């Protein structure tokens, strides 16, 4: 019984083939020489069908996200780090401390091992930087034309912070609505690339883990009512989700929402509304009006919330949904995203 | 702010389109009227980015599996129940009690909503039967030709049974090697369908949750050394994995391994070796020789282990790997699966 393979994986010119998903020797080699090498930690080293974790105390939170972003590499990141950040952020906005990630790869036959290695390295770097290890994984391979390079599903387990009780359903009339920073960067980084828009400086995705800034926020204001990251569907959809879950209205002020110049320019060119464009490092906070100043101060003291603003208030009038005072003083309804403004953005 | 949609989803003739993955209204409707309706439980009802779970005590186990089986429906099951069983079994063979599942769907544009509904219903039924709820999920949609109907990644969280310490690395020379039942049914159910083989009675997949029989086994023999479900790569690959992880050899007896007649016939027709064919409801057990009788009795007392047998013993001679005494009295080496015998079997 030897662990030796005929020759090492060719990480420069090699390509994924169906044998890498068969459960046999080629799969074992791919896992050892690529995945385990990059992601190495004590859990993966157990080598079983899953990972045994440390003893848990308190309530757990679990979140899962499939990532199908195209293109796989974009200014500011790639599907690897995005799949780490996305799931960490889903845990963090629920008030949980992210502890562990699981990652399942669906690879397309013919995909370059060099690209896969780059993606896994990015994933490993993001997991290390965030302090959240990838403890177990899975690899499947599908035939050419049955995927698009690679899809990555990450699932995260976190520990709910004691005393935190926030949910999309907890917004109350009179609450303040805060936004952690400028919007539209992730979506427009992707769209600019797809549409071949060129700017003097490319738009860079804001993909980032939010558990640090959220931890600082909760230290300052443990009674936050709602946190939600404004990903697919953008801030507009996130606000609509909150309004609907909490059965309230939300009034926002366009002037308080920061849209970076290049994002605005790209949106205008492509006929997109930045309010509906995905972010991967921004979140909405709803808290009691009396807590707003402390919450903003906590956010602004952290690099990931340096440009946080209050963008609106919660209203008892649920039937009006999300209403926005425009920068010209008008008023318009901000509806749910309908249709597929930006497919495969994450 | 209304929860009403223009019209209900057309679950008879409707198809998945890109808007169902956009994060907007169409996605909310798909989740409400299809996923949440079928899978309904208190956790999904939280409606947040993940699920808050009950307080945990003790050590956790996590396992993840992407499912890309083709065809999506096969005798004995479909990708829906398979994705529940597969992950439950990964937890169970680690000695954990499965508690929760997360499910992430990658849907292909144009996929029939009727098929999706059938798959989700099967998933829900399997989860209910196993007593393991799907507590959170995610839905992405990719363009036509970028997936194959639907891929489902499930991730499971379980509680490690106190006092259980089994791992692929714990096989010891002199141990008994047991197998919970006849082999090859899942893989040959799929292959027969793909190859249009017809038999008087079709081969039916053995897909099933194994946590019940494993719980009974561990009640009887808590000191089991290794358990592993013999999925991709079959019993041969599973034994090779154990031999390698434990740095031992394994000697098995072909006569003790039950291959059902139709599986054997189909394997002969297609030139496949049943030892390498995937199972989805069978597992290998390694335990001290002194425990073998009690372990076999516990397995046989359960419907999922009724035909359990001892198939071999663990040997100190790691360099010989897995050796099999054939039914004709010869001896042959049972190597790892190499190449892609059966792609997309799970």
């Amino acid at each position: 019984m030897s662990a030796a393979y005929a020759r090492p994986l060719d990480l420069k010119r090699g390509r994924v083939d169906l044998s890498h998903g068969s459960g046999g020797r080629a799969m074992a080699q791919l896992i050892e020489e690529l995945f385990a090498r990059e992601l190495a930690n004590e859990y993966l080293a157990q080598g079983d069908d899953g990972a045994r974790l440390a003893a848990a105390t308190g309530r757990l939170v679990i979140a899962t996200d499939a990532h199908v972003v195209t293109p796989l590499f974009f200014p500011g990141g790639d599907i690897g780090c995005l799949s780490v950040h996305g799931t960490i952020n889903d845990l963090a906005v629920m008030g949980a401390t992210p502890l562990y990630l699981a990652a399942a790869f669906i690879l397309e036959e013919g995909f370059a091992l060099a690209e896969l290695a780059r993606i896994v390295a990015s994933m490993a770097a993001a997991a290390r930087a965030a302090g959240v290890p990838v403890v177990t994984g899975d690899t499947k391979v599908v035939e050419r034309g049955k995927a698009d390079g690679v899809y990555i599903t990450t699932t995260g387990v976190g520990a709910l912070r004691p005393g935190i009780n926030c949910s999309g359903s907890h917004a109350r009339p009179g609450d303040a609505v805060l936004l952690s920073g400028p919007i539209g960067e992730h979506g427009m980084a992707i769209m600019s690339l797809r549409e071949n828009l060129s700017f003097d400086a490319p738009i860079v995705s804001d993909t980032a883990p939010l558990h640090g800034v959220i931890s600082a926020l909760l230290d300052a204001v443990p009674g936050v009512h709602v946190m939600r990251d404004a990903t697919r569907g953008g801030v507009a959809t996130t606000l609509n989700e909150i309004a609907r879950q909490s059965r309230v209205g939300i009034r926002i002020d366009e002037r308080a929402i920061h849209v970076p110049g290049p994002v605005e320019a790209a949106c205008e060119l492509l006929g997109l509304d930045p309010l509906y464009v995905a972010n991967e490092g921004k979140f909405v906070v709803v808290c009691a009006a009396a807590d707003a100043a402390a919450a903003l101060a906590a956010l602004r003291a952290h690099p990931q919330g340096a440009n946080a603003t209050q963008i609106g208030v919660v209203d008892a009038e649920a039937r009006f949904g999300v209403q926005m005072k425009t920068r010209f003083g008008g008023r318009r309804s901000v509806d749910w995203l309908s249709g597929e403004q930006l497919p495969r953005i994450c």
Side-chain angles (χ1 to χ4, degrees), chain A:
Chain A
M1 187 68 268
S2 155
Y5 303 106
R7 50 181 174 279
L9 272 187
D10 182 350
L11 292 180
K12 281 205 180 129
R13 284 166 304 273
R15 294 192 173 271
V16 169
D17 64 51
L18 288 169
S19 73
H20 290 120
S22 67
R25 196 190 294 271
M27 190 173 92
Q29 185 178 19
L30 181 71
I31 290 171
E32 262 174 54
E33 298 184 6
L34 200 157
F35 290 104
R37 195 163 291 172
E38 286 291 350
L39 295 164
N41 58 55
E42 61 186 298
Y43 305 99
L44 284 173
Q46 292 169 2
D48 285 317
D49 285 335
R52 282 171 212 82
L53 310 174
T57 50
R59 292 186 67 182
L60 298 173
V61 173
I62 182 169
T64 194
D65 251 327
H67 295 85
V68 299
V69 66
T70 180
L72 297 170
F73 301 91
F74 46 82
D78 55 65
I79 192 172
C81 65
L82 185 70
S83 69
V84 168
H85 298 154
T87 295
I88 283 178
N89 293 349
D90 280 348
L91 295 173
V93 295
M94 293 186 68
T97 304
L99 298 174
Y100 306 107
L101 290 171
F105 293 79
I106 297 174
L107 304 171
E108 184 184 8
E109 180 188 17
F111 188 56
L113 289 177
E115 291 195 35
L116 181 60
R118 215 176 126 198
I119 288 165
V120 176
S122 164
M123 199 168 185
R128 268 194 305 274
V132 185
V134 176
V135 297
T136 190
D138 182 53
T139 307
K140 295 290 190 311
V141 180
V142 297
E143 303 89 338
R144 243 172 248 271
K146 300 291 185 188
D148 197 4
V150 56
Y151 300 144
I152 305 177
T153 297
T154 49
T155 305
V157 172
L160 196 61
R161 277 179 62 138
I164 303 301
N165 181 21
C166 59
S167 163
S169 60
H170 290 183
R172 296 290 169 262
D175 280 357
V177 180
L178 318 180
L179 179 61
S180 68
I183 64 169
E185 290 161 324
H186 176 72
M188 296 320 293
I190 302 281
M191 290 306 290
S192 301
L193 208 56
R194 284 196 208 156
E195 303 289 334
N196 262 314
L197 300 186
S198 66
F199 300 96
D200 291 345
I203 301 173
V204 175
S205 167
D206 61 341
T207 183
L210 293 172
H211 59 321
V213 61
I214 286 176
S215 176
L217 170 65
L218 293 176
D219 288 344
V221 184
V224 159
H225 295 171
V226 184
M227 295 188 288
R228 188 157 289 184
D229 51 339
T231 55
R232 274 187 288 178
V235 168
T237 299
T238 300
L239 293 174
N240 271 283
E241 288 170 3
I242 295 169
R244 179 175 170 180
Q245 259 187 278
S246 295
R247 299 167 198 273
V248 294
I250 292 179
R251 282 184 284 124
I252 58 174
D253 184 341
E254 189 173 16
R255 288 169 310 177
I257 298 171
H258 180 204
V259 183
V263 169
E264 188 154 34
C267 280
E268 266 172 32
L269 268 168
L270 299 174
L272 298 170
D273 181 341
L275 273 179
Y276 293 89
V277 174
N279 311 280
E280 290 291 343
K282 298 300 172 334
F283 65 113
V284 166
V285 178
V286 179
C287 64
D291 286 336
L296 277 175
L299 290 170
R300 288 176 182 159
H302 193 283
Q304 241 115 53
N307 297 301
T309 52
Q310 176 167 355
I311 62 165
V313 293
V314 177
D315 193 295
E317 285 290 358
R319 72 201 153 98
F320 294 130
V322 180
Q323 297 281 327
M324 182 166 78
K325 188 172 153 195
T326 69
R327 63 182 111 173
F328 309 111
R331 184 165 293 280
R332 72 172 173 91
S333 178
V334 177
D335 201 358
W336 288 77
L337 172 63
S338 36
E340 77 267 22
Q341 193 186 27
L342 302 174
R344 298 185 57 193
I345 211 72
C346 62

